[in-house]
Amino acid sequence: MTSSGLEGIIAGSSSISQVDPKGDKLIYRGYDVRELAEKCSYEETAHLILMGSLPNAGQLADFSSQLTAAREIPKEMNALFSEMDTRASVMDRLRTAVSCLGLFDPDNGNDSHDANMRKAVRLIAQMPALIAHCYYLPGRESVPKQNPKFSYAKNFLYMLTGQEKDDYSVQVFDASLTLYAEHGFNASTFAARVTIATQSDMYSAVTSAIGTLKGSLHGGANEKAMEMLLEVGTPEKAESWIRAALREKKKIMGFGHRVYKIQDSRAPILKKMLLEFAQKKRDLQWVQISESIERVMKEEKKLFPNVDFPCAVLYYELGLAIALYTPIFAAARMAGWCAHAIEQLDNNRLIRPECEYTGPTNLAYVPIEKR
Ligand SMILES: CC(C)(COP(=O)(O)OP(=O)(O)OC[C@H]1O[C@@H](n2cnc3c(N)ncnc32)[C@H](O)[C@@H]1OP(=O)(O)O)[C@@H](O)C(=O)NCCC(=O)NCCS
């Protein structure tokens, strides 16, 4: 029996997160993500996902200082950044940069559990600087200097905008990182597990994951969703725009999900934050456009927004460049990817499915001169 796109197939077990198909609950290591998004910093969430438990105050201070101490990327990376073709997307550059970063990891060649944990901390810590270096144009724009006094989210936002954002913006951004941090056997995490299961290495696993996340059916959907809203332009045009798009059988980015059948539990949390944020800014244009699209999608296709739809609008409201949305997703998901790679390797078996052959058989070989 084949399953198109492996739909409905249980491809392994994991104790990292549970995705409830009804969308009622997403659980990280036993905790409801709604509560984590409201109460935890990204540092706490990353500790939970990676180490398996919520940190106490001392453990959090220790983990946060490890992350802060590991933030700077090796100087050797500068040569790569200065040579990168700026026509490539930030995700293309990031995929290459993460792969290159592995060359300079002090634990390169050591694939033990402890070494992989240290690599995970460095990878999570260095994503904001990597993304900033991939985003700003080499030689023409300077990359903001990291501030060791800032939390992970505050420093990340600062690196990407060059502005010290207010506490509320940081809080909302921080919550979005928690919501993006982990999601079971999604395509990019599965790619990471397949890679490391061959006894490859952590950097190869996360490089596979970044390449997989980039596609618009996965992480790339957040950028495409915002581009769509900009194309719509005004709330008055939203309904006719979306109805025409559906008539043309277009896929509407940021809607639908392979696992969730009723709703994506992360979307309402982000939607609420987006609404509060937009109300504070007294600018409801993008919220109104989103609401019209959401209403028509429900009416016409019975499809609901997934995490990427409200998150895209939230990032737009935060003043982030659209090209950064999927890279931010990658930074947040780094905690999940690393935890899965380590979990896979701790109890490893090669991941190697079979396929149903549908081509011809018994063809007679014809010498080249007779073909
Ligand atoms: C997420 C996604 C890839 C899941 O795909 P899937 O489980 O393979 O579902 P399918 O693509 O087979 O879609 C099933 C049906 O719903 C429709 N559909 C699903 N998502 C749709 C969307 N976003 N817009 C319009 N139609 C959609 C399909 O056209 C198909 O209709 P059909 O049976 O009449 O052909 C899909 O919903 C999608 O492409 N969404 C947009 C991209 C996105 O937001 N990705 C981020 C996911 S978190």
Side-chain angles (χ1 to χ4, degrees), residues 11 19 23 36 38 85 100 123 197 217 220 263 269 275 301 310 323 335 348 354 359:
V19 182
L36 297 175
E38 197 189 322
D85 190 327
C100 186
L123 275 161
L217 297 188
Q263 69 160 346
I269 314 172
L275 185 62
K301 302 283 293 183
N348 194 38
E354 292 182 40

Short mmCIF file of all heavy atoms in Angstrom, two decimals, residues 11 19 23 36 38 85 100 123 197 217 220 263 269 275 301 310 323 335 348 354 359:
data_model
loop_
_atom_site.label_atom_id
_atom_site.label_comp_id
_atom_site.label_asym_id
_atom_site.label_seq_id
_atom_site.Cartn_x
_atom_site.Cartn_y
_atom_site.Cartn_z
N ALA A 11 5.90 7.43 10.89
CA ALA A 11 7.23 7.08 10.39
C ALA A 11 8.27 6.92 11.50
O ALA A 11 9.45 6.79 11.22
CB ALA A 11 7.69 8.15 9.39
N VAL A 19 1.43 16.59 17.97
CA VAL A 19 0.57 17.44 17.15
C VAL A 19 -0.81 16.78 17.11
O VAL A 19 -0.96 15.69 16.57
CB VAL A 19 1.13 17.56 15.72
CG1 VAL A 19 0.27 18.48 14.87
CG2 VAL A 19 2.58 18.04 15.74
N GLY A 23 -6.22 20.05 16.11
CA GLY A 23 -5.72 21.41 16.28
C GLY A 23 -6.04 21.97 17.64
O GLY A 23 -5.84 23.16 17.90
N LEU A 36 3.04 27.99 26.91
CA LEU A 36 4.47 28.31 26.72
C LEU A 36 4.62 29.64 25.99
O LEU A 36 5.45 30.47 26.36
CB LEU A 36 5.17 27.20 25.93
CG LEU A 36 5.21 25.81 26.59
CD1 LEU A 36 5.81 24.79 25.62
CD2 LEU A 36 6.00 25.83 27.88
N GLU A 38 2.69 32.11 25.95
CA GLU A 38 2.29 33.24 26.81
C GLU A 38 3.31 33.50 27.92
O GLU A 38 3.60 34.64 28.25
CB GLU A 38 0.93 32.88 27.42
CG GLU A 38 0.18 34.06 28.01
CD GLU A 38 -1.04 33.57 28.78
OE1 GLU A 38 -1.70 32.60 28.32
OE2 GLU A 38 -1.32 34.13 29.84
N ASP A 85 26.49 35.81 -3.67
CA ASP A 85 25.75 36.47 -4.74
C ASP A 85 24.46 37.04 -4.14
O ASP A 85 23.62 36.30 -3.63
CB ASP A 85 25.43 35.45 -5.84
CG ASP A 85 24.88 36.12 -7.09
OD1 ASP A 85 24.18 37.16 -6.95
OD2 ASP A 85 25.15 35.63 -8.19
N CYS A 100 28.56 25.95 5.85
CA CYS A 100 29.94 26.43 6.01
C CYS A 100 30.32 26.54 7.49
O CYS A 100 31.44 26.21 7.89
CB CYS A 100 30.06 27.78 5.31
SG CYS A 100 31.72 28.41 5.25
N LEU A 123 24.47 26.37 17.30
CA LEU A 123 23.61 26.63 16.13
C LEU A 123 22.46 27.57 16.48
O LEU A 123 22.20 28.53 15.76
CB LEU A 123 23.07 25.30 15.59
CG LEU A 123 23.99 24.57 14.62
CD1 LEU A 123 23.60 23.10 14.51
CD2 LEU A 123 23.94 25.23 13.24
N ALA A 197 20.32 10.01 10.34
CA ALA A 197 20.18 8.57 10.53
C ALA A 197 21.18 7.76 9.69
O ALA A 197 21.40 6.59 9.95
CB ALA A 197 18.75 8.13 10.20
N LEU A 217 5.45 25.26 0.18
CA LEU A 217 4.45 24.41 0.83
C LEU A 217 4.78 24.21 2.30
O LEU A 217 3.99 23.67 3.06
CB LEU A 217 4.34 23.04 0.13
CG LEU A 217 3.88 23.07 -1.32
CD1 LEU A 217 3.64 21.65 -1.83
CD2 LEU A 217 2.64 23.92 -1.53
N GLY A 220 8.39 28.41 3.54
CA GLY A 220 8.35 29.52 2.59
C GLY A 220 6.97 30.15 2.46
O GLY A 220 6.82 31.24 1.88
N GLN A 263 -8.31 23.06 12.79
CA GLN A 263 -7.57 24.32 12.89
C GLN A 263 -6.13 24.04 13.27
O GLN A 263 -5.81 22.96 13.74
CB GLN A 263 -8.21 25.28 13.89
CG GLN A 263 -8.10 24.84 15.34
CD GLN A 263 -8.29 25.98 16.32
OE1 GLN A 263 -8.27 27.14 15.98
NE2 GLN A 263 -8.46 25.63 17.58
N ILE A 269 -3.46 31.93 18.44
CA ILE A 269 -2.59 32.64 19.40
C ILE A 269 -1.94 33.84 18.68
O ILE A 269 -1.92 34.96 19.18
CB ILE A 269 -1.48 31.71 19.95
CG1 ILE A 269 -2.05 30.35 20.37
CG2 ILE A 269 -0.71 32.38 21.07
CD1 ILE A 269 -0.99 29.31 20.75
N LEU A 275 -3.88 41.12 16.39
CA LEU A 275 -4.97 42.08 16.54
C LEU A 275 -4.61 43.14 17.59
O LEU A 275 -4.76 44.35 17.36
CB LEU A 275 -6.26 41.34 16.93
CG LEU A 275 -7.50 42.20 17.00
CD1 LEU A 275 -7.81 42.81 15.64
CD2 LEU A 275 -8.71 41.38 17.45
N LYS A 301 -13.72 26.89 0.76
CA LYS A 301 -12.87 25.69 0.74
C LYS A 301 -12.83 24.94 2.07
O LYS A 301 -12.16 23.93 2.19
CB LYS A 301 -11.42 26.08 0.39
CG LYS A 301 -11.24 26.80 -0.93
CD LYS A 301 -11.29 25.91 -2.14
CE LYS A 301 -10.17 24.94 -2.26
NZ LYS A 301 -10.23 24.13 -3.49
N PRO A 310 -1.09 34.28 10.04
CA PRO A 310 -1.02 35.41 10.98
C PRO A 310 0.42 35.83 11.30
O PRO A 310 0.69 37.00 11.56
CB PRO A 310 -1.73 34.88 12.24
CG PRO A 310 -1.71 33.40 12.12
CD PRO A 310 -1.69 33.09 10.66
N ALA A 323 11.74 39.09 3.16
CA ALA A 323 12.76 38.07 2.88
C ALA A 323 13.31 37.41 4.15
O ALA A 323 14.01 36.41 4.07
CB ALA A 323 13.90 38.71 2.10
N ALA A 335 15.90 24.72 17.29
CA ALA A 335 15.79 23.95 18.54
C ALA A 335 15.15 22.59 18.26
O ALA A 335 15.65 21.54 18.70
CB ALA A 335 14.97 24.73 19.56
N ASN A 348 19.33 4.97 17.02
CA ASN A 348 19.29 5.11 15.55
C ASN A 348 19.01 3.84 14.77
O ASN A 348 19.44 2.76 15.13
CB ASN A 348 20.64 5.67 15.08
CG ASN A 348 20.56 6.15 13.64
OD1 ASN A 348 19.54 6.72 13.25
ND2 ASN A 348 21.59 5.91 12.85
N GLU A 354 10.56 2.13 1.02
CA GLU A 354 10.61 1.55 -0.32
C GLU A 354 9.62 2.29 -1.22
O GLU A 354 8.78 3.04 -0.73
CB GLU A 354 10.21 0.07 -0.27
CG GLU A 354 11.24 -0.77 0.44
CD GLU A 354 10.87 -2.24 0.46
OE1 GLU A 354 10.36 -2.74 -0.57
OE2 GLU A 354 11.07 -2.87 1.51
N GLY A 359 7.29 1.58 -13.49
CA GLY A 359 7.83 1.61 -14.86
C GLY A 359 7.71 0.26 -15.53
O GLY A 359 7.16 -0.69 -14.97
#
